[in-house]
Amino acid sequence: MLLAFDPASERARFESRQAFLARQASLRLELAPGITFQPETAESVEDQVIETLWAEGMTLETAPAEDVAESRASFAVLAPRREPGGRSIVATLFLGFPDAVRDAKLAALHRFPDQLRLELSDGFFALPAVDRGAAGPDDRLPSVLALRFFVPDGCTIAALVSNHAEVSGRWPAPASWTSWLS
C-alpha cells in the first residue's frame, strides 16, 4: 500500500505528534554544537516503530503483523527495561557536524561516548555500555550511538557528566528525567 500525500492528513498527523515531540524535547540535552543526548522512553521507541512503518507506506493498522513485529524487534534495543535491582535505560547520542570538520570532530570524540556518566543521587556513577553498531572499538566513531545505563533502585539521576578533553562538563538532570526512569 502506498500512502498518497494529503495536506490535511499530514497536518493532522503533525499536530497529533506535538505533545510527544514536546516531551522528547524536554528530555534532550544539547551538550555542545553538534552533540545531542536524547533519552529513550517506551513512548519514543514505539514512535520510531510507527515512523518506520509510515516511511514504508504502512501504519500499525495496515501493516502485516510480521512487519510490525520486525520493526518492534529492531527498536527493542532502545527500550527501557526493568532488571533485578534497578532500571536499564538508553539514550541516543547524536553527533552531527558540517562535512568540512566531520572526520576531525569524530576522530577527536572517539572515546567520548564511553566517558559519559550519569551521576546518581547516591554519589555513585552509572557508566554506559556503548552500542557502536557494526563499528569496532578502533573504527571511526558512528554519528549515532546508543548508550545503555543501569540505575539502581532508589536512585535518581543528578546529572550527566563528561571528563573528555573535547567536551567536558556537568549537565544537571532536567526534572523530566524522572519520567526516563519510570
Side-chain angles (χ1 to χ4, degrees), residues 24-43:
Q24 284 303 105
S26 75
L27 295 168
R28 184 176 311 123
L29 287 178
E30 302 295 331
L31 306 182
I35 304 174
T36 304
F37 184 87
Q38 178 68 61
E40 299 290 351
T41 62
E43 183 183 29

Side-chain angles (χ1 to χ4, degrees), residues 85-171:
R87 296 277 296 160
S88 180
I89 55 176
V90 172
T92 301
L93 185 66
F94 297 98
L95 304 170
F97 307 105
D99 289 342
V101 297
R102 180 180 174 79
D103 287 339
K105 288 293 246 178
L106 291 176
L109 291 169
H110 191 68
R111 295 286 175 213
F112 171 67
D114 305 282
Q115 294 180 16
L116 280 171
R117 302 171 294 164
L118 294 178
E119 180 183 323
L120 304 176
S121 57
D122 64 1
F124 289 98
F125 291 91
L127 304 176
V130 179
D131 181 353
R132 294 173 180 265
D138 296 321
D139 292 340
R140 190 186 109 184
L141 186 66
S143 58
V144 178
L145 299 104
L147 289 74
R148 184 168 287 280
F149 299 91
F150 179 79
V151 178
D153 287 336
C155 287
T156 58
I157 302 169
L160 178 68
V161 177
S162 169
N163 294 323
H164 192 275
E166 291 293 314
V167 182
S168 63
R170 181 182 185 277
W171 298 269

